[in-house]
Amino acid sequence: GLRRGSQISCFSPTNFTGKQSAYVDTACWDSLLHHGFDAEGHAITKSLWALKVFPYSLLVVAVLMYLPYLLWRYAAAPALHSDLLFIIDELDKSYNRSVRLVQHMRKVQQASAEPERFWEEYERARRERYFEFPLLERYLTCKQHAHSLVFIYILRNLLLLLFLAATCLYLVFLHLNIFFQDEFSCSIKTGLLQEEPHIPPLIPCKLVFFSVFQLISLSVGGIYVLLMPVVIYNALQLCQWDKGLLSIYEMLPAFDLLSRKMLTCPVNDLNVILLFLRANISKLTSFGRLNAVSALREATANKEDIDTVVDFMTLLAGLEITSPARPSACRDRPDP
């Protein structure tokens, strides 16, 4: 009769007792060996043991997928976190310094009895780069020559891609070889039972949770196939600079370092930091303001004369109205 176990259901002979049927279920589940015949009538056997270890293999896959996270969490995240905090703080300070500088310039200009003297001091400050902040500039230069973060970032993505591809290949192997065979013929004529005449040579069995295994494998495989292009895309982000972010911050006096170094190889720690800076752009209070200034700059008639946010702020403050005519070689702002 048909006896339903927790894993398989075997069609034992009708003359088997309950205990004998339970033994058939247990023996066939333990062996998971399919007995059949090929096209020429020769007896063949096929192991279905992969079905038994399938739930445990998914556990192994889960552990493997967690390894890249652990690598990044303990080898790179602490240093990256401190870098981001420092750069975010310095970028916001750079913007605030620029605004305070313009406010100070306006007060000095209004109190100055000699406008020409004021603009001479302004031009000398520009030539001697008083508006730039060497700490941020040197730190960014240092990160352009460092490769520890980018090495871990690439290694993490390669491991993820390797584990995703290996899991997909494993699932394809299961489907091609096993997951289309939910029924198999089991033989219990081994050992002391080999000479028993009342035991049939083959007993048909059906895997109860076969459809569940199929559904899980298809779901996992589908998700992992979709994740592989995402991992590849994230890795390829290192092949180019984030020009959208850089173009906004180039208005800061210290950030022209990046435009000068843009043609160098982008595979370095600074590019990794910029990727995560873009992901945490909401933490940058200066980004939205600089974005607005950049948009206003594009709408300005003589935008080619505006190099930094300091220039634009002085223009908005109306300082150019009283600025004297200057030689073209020194002109950084439009004539009134």
Side-chain angles (χ1 to χ4, degrees), residues 13-288:
T14 55
N15 59 341
F16 274 32
T17 64
K19 290 185 177 181
Q20 288 174 326
S21 297
Y23 172 80
V24 171
D25 286 351
T26 302
C28 290
W29 175 250
D30 288 342
S31 65
L32 272 183
L33 196 62
H34 171 64
H35 296 262
F37 300 92
D38 59 15
E40 299 178 356
H42 300 129
I44 58 172
T45 58
K46 181 180 180 180
S47 176
L48 304 177
W49 252 76
L51 290 173
K52 181 178 289 189
V53 301
F54 177 68
Y56 305 101
S57 64
L58 291 182
L59 181 61
V60 173
V61 168
V63 172
L64 290 177
M65 291 301 174
Y66 198 63
L67 292 180
Y69 166 78
L70 292 178
L71 173 67
W72 183 260
R73 174 67 180 83
Y74 292 102
L80 177 63
H81 181 68
S82 62
D83 288 336
L84 287 176
L85 287 179
F86 173 77
I87 292 178
I88 287 174
D89 183 60
E90 285 298 314
L91 288 177
D92 288 344
K93 284 181 179 179
S94 297
Y95 174 81
N96 293 332
R97 288 191 192 105
S98 299
V99 174
R100 287 196 298 269
L101 175 62
V102 174
Q103 292 172 343
H104 175 72
M105 287 170 57
R106 181 166 176 79
K107 290 179 182 179
V108 172
Q109 188 266 347
Q110 288 175 342
S112 176
E114 301 179 8
E116 294 184 4
R117 174 104 181 168
F118 168 78
W119 285 110
E120 288 176 2
E121 291 295 324
Y122 176 75
E123 291 300 333
R124 187 174 65 85
R126 285 186 63 88
R127 287 194 303 269
E128 298 182 12
R129 301 179 64 170
Y130 285 170
F131 297 158
E132 300 185 10
F133 313 105
L135 179 61
L136 177 60
E137 180 176 322
R138 291 174 184 175
Y139 192 78
L140 297 178
T141 304
C142 175
K143 288 301 174 183
Q144 274 207 328
H145 295 91
H147 298 88
S148 58
L149 281 178
V150 73
F151 173 77
I152 299 174
Y153 183 82
I154 294 175
L155 179 61
R156 183 194 69 168
N157 284 281
L158 287 178
L159 287 176
L160 274 175
L161 195 60
L162 175 64
F163 294 153
L164 289 173
T167 302
C168 290
L169 291 176
Y170 168 68
L171 295 175
V172 168
F173 167 79
L174 290 182
H175 275 273
L176 292 179
N177 291 274
I178 297 173
F179 275 0
F180 289 108
Q181 186 168 354
D182 59 339
E183 298 180 357
F184 68 101
S185 298
C186 175
S187 175
I188 61 172
K189 298 193 69 171
T190 58
L192 298 176
L193 300 178
Q194 193 168 5
E195 303 299 330
E196 293 291 334
H198 66 283
I199 297 178
L202 297 175
I203 298 176
C205 295
K206 183 176 179 65
L207 295 164
V208 175
F209 292 108
F210 186 79
S211 58
V212 177
F213 287 175
Q214 279 186 320
L215 179 61
I216 293 175
S217 64
L218 289 174
S219 301
V220 172
I223 293 173
Y224 283 7
V225 168
L226 293 176
L227 282 177
M228 281 194 286
V230 176
V231 175
I232 295 174
Y233 174 79
N234 286 334
L236 292 179
Q237 290 300 300
L238 290 177
C239 296
Q240 61 181 0
W241 293 103
D242 188 350
K243 295 183 180 179
L245 179 65
L246 297 179
S247 63
I248 297 297
Y249 275 95
E250 277 179 355
M251 293 196 71
L252 286 181
F255 223 73
D256 62 342
L257 167 77
L258 293 180
S259 62
R260 295 198 303 269
K261 300 292 185 179
M262 187 84 74
L263 297 180
T264 61
C265 177
V267 183
N268 53 55
D269 285 1
L270 179 59
N271 205 11
V272 175
I273 292 173
L274 290 178
L275 290 177
F276 283 87
L277 192 63
R278 168 67 77 175
N280 295 274
I281 203 68
S282 60
K283 305 292 185 182
L284 269 169
T285 57
S286 59
F287 178 79

